[in-house]
PDB file of all heavy atoms in Angstrom:
ATOM      1  N   LYS A  44     122.146 132.078 134.139  1.00  0.00           N
ATOM      2  CA  LYS A  44     122.437 133.457 134.388  1.00  0.00           C
ATOM      3  C   LYS A  44     122.812 133.719 135.848  1.00  0.00           C
ATOM      4  O   LYS A  44     123.709 134.460 136.126  1.00  0.00           O
ATOM      5  CB  LYS A  44     121.209 134.320 134.009  1.00  0.00           C
ATOM      6  CG  LYS A  44     121.572 135.605 133.339  1.00  0.00           C
ATOM      7  CD  LYS A  44     120.339 136.296 132.778  1.00  0.00           C
ATOM      8  CE  LYS A  44     120.610 137.630 132.185  1.00  0.00           C
ATOM      9  NZ  LYS A  44     119.373 138.206 131.608  1.00  0.00           N
ATOM     10  N   LEU A  47     126.317 132.523 136.454  1.00  0.00           N
ATOM     11  CA  LEU A  47     127.223 133.423 135.767  1.00  0.00           C
ATOM     12  C   LEU A  47     127.432 134.729 136.537  1.00  0.00           C
ATOM     13  O   LEU A  47     128.549 135.155 136.818  1.00  0.00           O
ATOM     14  CB  LEU A  47     126.697 133.744 134.377  1.00  0.00           C
ATOM     15  CG  LEU A  47     127.529 134.643 133.456  1.00  0.00           C
ATOM     16  CD1 LEU A  47     128.821 133.964 133.098  1.00  0.00           C
ATOM     17  CD2 LEU A  47     126.765 134.991 132.180  1.00  0.00           C
ATOM     18  N   ILE A  51     130.859 136.130 138.375  1.00  0.00           N
ATOM     19  CA  ILE A  51     131.450 137.428 137.996  1.00  0.00           C
ATOM     20  C   ILE A  51     131.556 138.322 139.209  1.00  0.00           C
ATOM     21  O   ILE A  51     132.563 138.999 139.409  1.00  0.00           O
ATOM     22  CB  ILE A  51     130.587 138.139 136.873  1.00  0.00           C
ATOM     23  CG1 ILE A  51     130.707 137.298 135.570  1.00  0.00           C
ATOM     24  CG2 ILE A  51     131.042 139.544 136.678  1.00  0.00           C
ATOM     25  CD1 ILE A  51     129.873 137.847 134.398  1.00  0.00           C
ATOM     26  N   PRO A  56     134.802 139.063 135.380  1.00  0.00           N
ATOM     27  CA  PRO A  56     134.350 138.398 134.192  1.00  0.00           C
ATOM     28  C   PRO A  56     135.215 137.159 133.840  1.00  0.00           C
ATOM     29  O   PRO A  56     134.678 136.172 133.354  1.00  0.00           O
ATOM     30  CB  PRO A  56     134.448 139.462 133.097  1.00  0.00           C
ATOM     31  CG  PRO A  56     134.432 140.747 133.829  1.00  0.00           C
ATOM     32  CD  PRO A  56     134.998 140.543 135.159  1.00  0.00           C
ATOM     33  N   GLY A  59     133.984 134.209 135.357  1.00  0.00           N
ATOM     34  CA  GLY A  59     132.703 133.733 134.845  1.00  0.00           C
ATOM     35  C   GLY A  59     132.901 132.758 133.680  1.00  0.00           C
ATOM     36  O   GLY A  59     132.047 131.926 133.426  1.00  0.00           O
ATOM     37  N   ILE A  60     134.014 132.847 133.005  1.00  0.00           N
ATOM     38  CA  ILE A  60     134.263 131.951 131.886  1.00  0.00           C
ATOM     39  C   ILE A  60     134.214 130.488 132.319  1.00  0.00           C
ATOM     40  O   ILE A  60     133.719 129.627 131.576  1.00  0.00           O
ATOM     41  CB  ILE A  60     135.640 132.292 131.226  1.00  0.00           C
ATOM     42  CG1 ILE A  60     135.577 133.673 130.618  1.00  0.00           C
ATOM     43  CG2 ILE A  60     135.991 131.254 130.159  1.00  0.00           C
ATOM     44  CD1 ILE A  60     136.839 134.158 130.021  1.00  0.00           C
ATOM     45  N   CYS A  63     130.708 129.251 132.139  1.00  0.00           N
ATOM     46  CA  CYS A  63     130.230 128.923 130.781  1.00  0.00           C
ATOM     47  C   CYS A  63     130.946 127.745 130.184  1.00  0.00           C
ATOM     48  O   CYS A  63     130.387 126.996 129.431  1.00  0.00           O
ATOM     49  CB  CYS A  63     130.466 130.193 129.903  1.00  0.00           C
ATOM     50  SG  CYS A  63     129.632 131.641 130.574  1.00  0.00           S
ATOM     51  N   ASN A  64     132.233 127.640 130.539  1.00  0.00           N
ATOM     52  CA  ASN A  64     133.045 126.606 129.942  1.00  0.00           C
ATOM     53  C   ASN A  64     132.725 125.196 130.473  1.00  0.00           C
ATOM     54  O   ASN A  64     132.667 124.227 129.734  1.00  0.00           O
ATOM     55  CB  ASN A  64     134.528 126.929 130.183  1.00  0.00           C
ATOM     56  CG  ASN A  64     135.435 125.897 129.570  1.00  0.00           C
ATOM     57  OD1 ASN A  64     136.353 125.417 130.244  1.00  0.00           O
ATOM     58  ND2 ASN A  64     135.224 125.546 128.351  1.00  0.00           N
ATOM     59  N   MET A  68     127.541 123.166 130.715  1.00  0.00           N
ATOM     60  CA  MET A  68     127.276 121.832 130.169  1.00  0.00           C
ATOM     61  C   MET A  68     126.625 120.909 131.194  1.00  0.00           C
ATOM     62  O   MET A  68     125.689 120.224 130.910  1.00  0.00           O
ATOM     63  CB  MET A  68     128.586 121.254 129.663  1.00  0.00           C
ATOM     64  CG  MET A  68     128.435 120.226 128.538  1.00  0.00           C
ATOM     65  SD  MET A  68     127.168 120.687 127.342  1.00  0.00           S
ATOM     66  CE  MET A  68     128.171 121.184 125.962  1.00  0.00           C
ATOM     67  N   ARG A  84     122.239 124.963 123.538  1.00  0.00           N
ATOM     68  CA  ARG A  84     122.241 126.373 123.146  1.00  0.00           C
ATOM     69  C   ARG A  84     122.985 126.458 121.829  1.00  0.00           C
ATOM     70  O   ARG A  84     123.940 125.713 121.604  1.00  0.00           O
ATOM     71  CB  ARG A  84     122.991 127.228 124.156  1.00  0.00           C
ATOM     72  CG  ARG A  84     122.289 127.345 125.495  1.00  0.00           C
ATOM     73  CD  ARG A  84     122.909 128.333 126.397  1.00  0.00           C
ATOM     74  NE  ARG A  84     124.339 128.041 126.613  1.00  0.00           N
ATOM     75  CZ  ARG A  84     125.211 128.933 127.117  1.00  0.00           C
ATOM     76  NH1 ARG A  84     124.828 130.160 127.410  1.00  0.00           N
ATOM     77  NH2 ARG A  84     126.474 128.627 127.278  1.00  0.00           N
ATOM     78  N   THR A  85     122.526 127.300 120.963  1.00  0.00           N
ATOM     79  CA  THR A  85     123.180 127.440 119.676  1.00  0.00           C
ATOM     80  C   THR A  85     123.199 128.911 119.240  1.00  0.00           C
ATOM     81  O   THR A  85     122.631 129.738 119.920  1.00  0.00           O
ATOM     82  CB  THR A  85     122.500 126.512 118.615  1.00  0.00           C
ATOM     83  OG1 THR A  85     123.284 126.489 117.447  1.00  0.00           O
ATOM     84  CG2 THR A  85     121.123 127.002 118.296  1.00  0.00           C
ATOM     85  N   SER A  86     123.828 129.147 118.109  1.00  0.00           N
ATOM     86  CA  SER A  86     123.947 130.552 117.621  1.00  0.00           C
ATOM     87  C   SER A  86     124.443 130.520 116.165  1.00  0.00           C
ATOM     88  O   SER A  86     125.007 129.517 115.712  1.00  0.00           O
ATOM     89  CB  SER A  86     124.981 131.257 118.483  1.00  0.00           C
ATOM     90  OG  SER A  86     125.251 132.557 117.974  1.00  0.00           O
ATOM     91  N   LYS A  88     126.675 132.572 115.345  1.00  0.00           N
ATOM     92  CA  LYS A  88     128.117 132.826 115.552  1.00  0.00           C
ATOM     93  C   LYS A  88     128.508 132.181 116.878  1.00  0.00           C
ATOM     94  O   LYS A  88     128.367 132.773 117.956  1.00  0.00           O
ATOM     95  CB  LYS A  88     128.404 134.318 115.605  1.00  0.00           C
ATOM     96  CG  LYS A  88     128.103 135.065 114.329  1.00  0.00           C
ATOM     97  CD  LYS A  88     128.682 136.456 114.306  1.00  0.00           C
ATOM     98  CE  LYS A  88     128.051 137.363 115.343  1.00  0.00           C
ATOM     99  NZ  LYS A  88     128.765 138.668 115.466  1.00  0.00           N
ATOM    100  N   THR A  89     128.987 130.943 116.794  1.00  0.00           N
ATOM    101  CA  THR A  89     129.279 130.245 118.046  1.00  0.00           C
ATOM    102  C   THR A  89     130.655 130.487 118.588  1.00  0.00           C
ATOM    103  O   THR A  89     131.583 130.790 117.847  1.00  0.00           O
ATOM    104  CB  THR A  89     129.144 128.698 117.829  1.00  0.00           C
ATOM    105  OG1 THR A  89     129.825 128.342 116.638  1.00  0.00           O
ATOM    106  CG2 THR A  89     127.690 128.281 117.747  1.00  0.00           C
ATOM    107  N   ARG A  90     130.742 130.317 119.857  1.00  0.00           N
ATOM    108  CA  ARG A  90     132.036 130.379 120.544  1.00  0.00           C
ATOM    109  C   ARG A  90     132.640 128.975 120.523  1.00  0.00           C
ATOM    110  O   ARG A  90     133.805 128.788 120.166  1.00  0.00           O
ATOM    111  CB  ARG A  90     131.860 130.891 121.981  1.00  0.00           C
ATOM    112  CG  ARG A  90     133.069 130.744 122.858  1.00  0.00           C
ATOM    113  CD  ARG A  90     133.045 131.841 123.931  1.00  0.00           C
ATOM    114  NE  ARG A  90     133.311 133.126 123.321  1.00  0.00           N
ATOM    115  CZ  ARG A  90     133.031 134.273 123.910  1.00  0.00           C
ATOM    116  NH1 ARG A  90     132.490 134.290 125.095  1.00  0.00           N
ATOM    117  NH2 ARG A  90     133.311 135.446 123.299  1.00  0.00           N
ATOM    118  N   ASN A  91     131.820 128.043 120.932  1.00  0.00           N
ATOM    119  CA  ASN A  91     132.260 126.596 120.936  1.00  0.00           C
ATOM    120  C   ASN A  91     131.648 125.899 119.692  1.00  0.00           C
ATOM    121  O   ASN A  91     130.403 125.875 119.551  1.00  0.00           O
ATOM    122  CB  ASN A  91     131.778 125.974 122.233  1.00  0.00           C
ATOM    123  CG  ASN A  91     132.343 124.559 122.414  1.00  0.00           C
ATOM    124  OD1 ASN A  91     132.695 123.906 121.420  1.00  0.00           O
ATOM    125  ND2 ASN A  91     132.370 124.117 123.638  1.00  0.00           N
ATOM    126  N   ASN A  94     128.482 123.825 119.755  1.00  0.00           N
ATOM    127  CA  ASN A  94     127.163 124.440 119.825  1.00  0.00           C
ATOM    128  C   ASN A  94     126.656 124.844 118.430  1.00  0.00           C
ATOM    129  O   ASN A  94     125.606 125.512 118.341  1.00  0.00           O
ATOM    130  CB  ASN A  94     127.196 125.659 120.736  1.00  0.00           C
ATOM    131  CG  ASN A  94     127.618 125.348 122.159  1.00  0.00           C
ATOM    132  OD1 ASN A  94     127.293 124.242 122.649  1.00  0.00           O
ATOM    133  ND2 ASN A  94     128.293 126.232 122.815  1.00  0.00           N
ATOM    134  N   ILE A 140     117.626 134.023 122.457  1.00  0.00           N
ATOM    135  CA  ILE A 140     118.297 134.571 123.596  1.00  0.00           C
ATOM    136  C   ILE A 140     118.791 135.962 123.276  1.00  0.00           C
ATOM    137  O   ILE A 140     119.655 136.114 122.350  1.00  0.00           O
ATOM    138  CB  ILE A 140     119.553 133.711 124.021  1.00  0.00           C
ATOM    139  CG1 ILE A 140     119.114 132.240 124.202  1.00  0.00           C
ATOM    140  CG2 ILE A 140     120.160 134.258 125.300  1.00  0.00           C
ATOM    141  CD1 ILE A 140     120.334 131.298 124.424  1.00  0.00           C
ATOM    142  N   GLY A 141     118.307 136.949 123.974  1.00  0.00           N
ATOM    143  CA  GLY A 141     118.744 138.330 123.723  1.00  0.00           C
ATOM    144  C   GLY A 141     120.123 138.593 124.361  1.00  0.00           C
ATOM    145  O   GLY A 141     120.582 137.799 125.203  1.00  0.00           O
ATOM    146  N   VAL A 145     125.324 142.325 130.805  1.00  0.00           N
ATOM    147  CA  VAL A 145     126.307 141.425 131.400  1.00  0.00           C
ATOM    148  C   VAL A 145     126.988 140.547 130.350  1.00  0.00           C
ATOM    149  O   VAL A 145     128.165 140.169 130.476  1.00  0.00           O
ATOM    150  CB  VAL A 145     125.675 140.531 132.531  1.00  0.00           C
ATOM    151  CG1 VAL A 145     124.670 139.577 131.985  1.00  0.00           C
ATOM    152  CG2 VAL A 145     126.736 139.851 133.334  1.00  0.00           C
ATOM    153  N   CYS A 146     126.280 140.244 129.282  1.00  0.00           N
ATOM    154  CA  CYS A 146     126.828 139.366 128.220  1.00  0.00           C
ATOM    155  C   CYS A 146     128.011 140.009 127.528  1.00  0.00           C
ATOM    156  O   CYS A 146     128.886 139.361 126.968  1.00  0.00           O
ATOM    157  CB  CYS A 146     125.740 139.055 127.222  1.00  0.00           C
ATOM    158  SG  CYS A 146     124.108 138.671 127.932  1.00  0.00           S
ATOM    159  N   ASN A 148     130.481 141.537 128.582  1.00  0.00           N
ATOM    160  CA  ASN A 148     131.746 141.225 129.235  1.00  0.00           C
ATOM    161  C   ASN A 148     132.545 140.190 128.440  1.00  0.00           C
ATOM    162  O   ASN A 148     133.778 140.204 128.435  1.00  0.00           O
ATOM    163  CB  ASN A 148     131.566 140.647 130.650  1.00  0.00           C
ATOM    164  CG  ASN A 148     131.268 141.732 131.645  1.00  0.00           C
ATOM    165  OD1 ASN A 148     131.978 142.674 131.794  1.00  0.00           O
ATOM    166  ND2 ASN A 148     130.125 141.618 132.338  1.00  0.00           N
ATOM    167  N   CYS A 149     131.861 139.309 127.793  1.00  0.00           N
ATOM    168  CA  CYS A 149     132.536 138.222 127.063  1.00  0.00           C
ATOM    169  C   CYS A 149     132.086 138.096 125.608  1.00  0.00           C
ATOM    170  O   CYS A 149     132.738 137.333 124.846  1.00  0.00           O
ATOM    171  CB  CYS A 149     132.268 136.894 127.778  1.00  0.00           C
ATOM    172  SG  CYS A 149     132.878 136.843 129.444  1.00  0.00           S
ATOM    173  N   HIS A 150     131.021 138.752 125.231  1.00  0.00           N
ATOM    174  CA  HIS A 150     130.572 138.651 123.811  1.00  0.00           C
ATOM    175  C   HIS A 150     130.526 140.055 123.146  1.00  0.00           C
ATOM    176  O   HIS A 150     130.107 140.124 121.990  1.00  0.00           O
ATOM    177  CB  HIS A 150     129.170 138.034 123.804  1.00  0.00           C
ATOM    178  CG  HIS A 150     129.094 136.622 124.261  1.00  0.00           C
ATOM    179  ND1 HIS A 150     129.698 135.575 123.606  1.00  0.00           N
ATOM    180  CD2 HIS A 150     128.514 136.070 125.378  1.00  0.00           C
ATOM    181  CE1 HIS A 150     129.465 134.445 124.289  1.00  0.00           C
ATOM    182  NE2 HIS A 150     128.759 134.740 125.344  1.00  0.00           N
ATOM    183  N   LEU A 162     139.736 133.519 126.785  1.00  0.00           N
ATOM    184  CA  LEU A 162     138.899 133.105 125.650  1.00  0.00           C
ATOM    185  C   LEU A 162     139.727 132.605 124.499  1.00  0.00           C
ATOM    186  O   LEU A 162     139.418 131.559 123.916  1.00  0.00           O
ATOM    187  CB  LEU A 162     138.031 134.288 125.168  1.00  0.00           C
ATOM    188  CG  LEU A 162     136.833 134.679 126.059  1.00  0.00           C
ATOM    189  CD1 LEU A 162     136.076 135.832 125.438  1.00  0.00           C
ATOM    190  CD2 LEU A 162     135.891 133.504 126.270  1.00  0.00           C
ATOM    191  N   TYR A 166     139.096 128.974 123.224  1.00  0.00           N
ATOM    192  CA  TYR A 166     138.294 128.944 121.992  1.00  0.00           C
ATOM    193  C   TYR A 166     139.012 129.608 120.842  1.00  0.00           C
ATOM    194  O   TYR A 166     138.668 130.734 120.471  1.00  0.00           O
ATOM    195  CB  TYR A 166     136.952 129.629 122.225  1.00  0.00           C
ATOM    196  CG  TYR A 166     136.160 129.061 123.420  1.00  0.00           C
ATOM    197  CD1 TYR A 166     136.188 129.653 124.642  1.00  0.00           C
ATOM    198  CD2 TYR A 166     135.450 127.874 123.215  1.00  0.00           C
ATOM    199  CE1 TYR A 166     135.498 129.147 125.725  1.00  0.00           C
ATOM    200  CE2 TYR A 166     134.740 127.344 124.314  1.00  0.00           C
ATOM    201  CZ  TYR A 166     134.751 127.972 125.575  1.00  0.00           C
ATOM    202  OH  TYR A 166     134.075 127.440 126.596  1.00  0.00           O
ATOM    203  N   ALA A 171     131.844 134.302 118.627  1.00  0.00           N
ATOM    204  CA  ALA A 171     130.799 134.961 119.405  1.00  0.00           C
ATOM    205  C   ALA A 171     131.263 136.286 120.028  1.00  0.00           C
ATOM    206  O   ALA A 171     131.168 136.450 121.205  1.00  0.00           O
ATOM    207  CB  ALA A 171     130.298 133.996 120.475  1.00  0.00           C
ATOM    208  N   ARG A 180     121.677 136.848 120.663  1.00  0.00           N
ATOM    209  CA  ARG A 180     122.982 136.147 120.877  1.00  0.00           C
ATOM    210  C   ARG A 180     122.896 134.692 120.343  1.00  0.00           C
ATOM    211  O   ARG A 180     123.884 134.125 119.934  1.00  0.00           O
ATOM    212  CB  ARG A 180     123.287 136.207 122.378  1.00  0.00           C
ATOM    213  CG  ARG A 180     124.505 135.485 122.985  1.00  0.00           C
ATOM    214  CD  ARG A 180     125.852 135.908 122.396  1.00  0.00           C
ATOM    215  NE  ARG A 180     126.181 135.053 121.317  1.00  0.00           N
ATOM    216  CZ  ARG A 180     126.849 133.912 121.417  1.00  0.00           C
ATOM    217  NH1 ARG A 180     127.265 133.442 122.548  1.00  0.00           N
ATOM    218  NH2 ARG A 180     127.133 133.204 120.318  1.00  0.00           N
ATOM    219  N   GLY A 181     121.724 134.120 120.436  1.00  0.00           N
ATOM    220  CA  GLY A 181     121.535 132.763 119.951  1.00  0.00           C
ATOM    221  C   GLY A 181     120.187 132.247 120.353  1.00  0.00           C
ATOM    222  O   GLY A 181     119.229 133.048 120.394  1.00  0.00           O
TER     223      GLY A 181
HETATM  224  C1  LIG B   1     132.243 135.330 131.600  1.00  0.00           C
HETATM  225  C2  LIG B   1     132.128 135.232 130.167  1.00  0.00           C
HETATM  226  C3  LIG B   1     130.775 135.138 129.568  1.00  0.00           C
HETATM  227  C4  LIG B   1     129.663 135.909 129.787  1.00  0.00           C
HETATM  228  C5  LIG B   1     129.548 137.080 130.679  1.00  0.00           C
HETATM  229  C6  LIG B   1     128.655 135.359 128.925  1.00  0.00           C
HETATM  230  N1  LIG B   1     129.124 134.337 128.220  1.00  0.00           N
HETATM  231 FE1  LIG B   1     128.065 133.284 126.791  1.00  0.00          FE
HETATM  232  N2  LIG B   1     129.640 132.058 126.523  1.00  0.00           N
HETATM  233  C7  LIG B   1     130.843 132.157 127.199  1.00  0.00           C
HETATM  234  C8  LIG B   1     131.645 130.997 126.939  1.00  0.00           C
HETATM  235  C9  LIG B   1     133.014 130.692 127.460  1.00  0.00           C
HETATM  236  C10 LIG B   1     130.883 130.198 126.030  1.00  0.00           C
HETATM  237  C11 LIG B   1     131.232 128.877 125.449  1.00  0.00           C
HETATM  238  C12 LIG B   1     130.542 127.748 126.247  1.00  0.00           C
HETATM  239  C13 LIG B   1     130.835 126.354 125.762  1.00  0.00           C
HETATM  240  O1  LIG B   1     132.025 126.017 125.692  1.00  0.00           O
HETATM  241  O2  LIG B   1     129.866 125.637 125.452  1.00  0.00           O
HETATM  242  C14 LIG B   1     129.606 130.883 125.830  1.00  0.00           C
HETATM  243  C15 LIG B   1     128.596 130.426 125.016  1.00  0.00           C
HETATM  244  C16 LIG B   1     127.403 130.993 124.899  1.00  0.00           C
HETATM  245  C17 LIG B   1     126.301 130.489 124.098  1.00  0.00           C
HETATM  246  C18 LIG B   1     126.300 129.187 123.283  1.00  0.00           C
HETATM  247  C19 LIG B   1     126.615 129.380 121.833  1.00  0.00           C
HETATM  248  C20 LIG B   1     128.075 129.627 121.571  1.00  0.00           C
HETATM  249  O3  LIG B   1     128.383 130.772 121.226  1.00  0.00           O
HETATM  250  O4  LIG B   1     128.906 128.684 121.675  1.00  0.00           O
HETATM  251  C21 LIG B   1     125.276 131.350 124.214  1.00  0.00           C
HETATM  252  C22 LIG B   1     123.921 131.261 123.543  1.00  0.00           C
HETATM  253  C23 LIG B   1     125.687 132.387 125.100  1.00  0.00           C
HETATM  254  N3  LIG B   1     126.992 132.154 125.490  1.00  0.00           N
HETATM  255  C24 LIG B   1     124.894 133.418 125.504  1.00  0.00           C
HETATM  256  C25 LIG B   1     125.245 134.354 126.479  1.00  0.00           C
HETATM  257  C26 LIG B   1     124.355 135.332 127.013  1.00  0.00           C
HETATM  258  C27 LIG B   1     122.941 135.574 126.566  1.00  0.00           C
HETATM  259  C28 LIG B   1     125.070 136.039 127.988  1.00  0.00           C
HETATM  260  C29 LIG B   1     124.517 137.094 128.890  1.00  0.00           C
HETATM  261  C30 LIG B   1     123.374 136.766 129.722  1.00  0.00           C
HETATM  262  C31 LIG B   1     126.343 135.434 128.048  1.00  0.00           C
HETATM  263  N4  LIG B   1     126.456 134.441 127.122  1.00  0.00           N
HETATM  264  C32 LIG B   1     127.363 135.919 128.855  1.00  0.00           C
HETATM  265  C33 LIG B   1     131.199 133.183 128.045  1.00  0.00           C
HETATM  266  C34 LIG B   1     130.382 134.146 128.549  1.00  0.00           C
END
Side-chain angles (χ1 to χ4, degrees):
K44 218 170 176 177
L47 181 66
I51 292 179
I60 295 177
C63 303
N64 179 231
M68 206 39 106
R84 293 188 304 164
T85 189
S86 174
K88 296 194 293 171
T89 47
R90 170 150 290 162
N91 188 336
N94 301 326
I140 306 173
V145 68
C146 318
N148 281 304
C149 300
H150 296 293
L162 286 180
Y166 305 98
R180 175 60 268 273

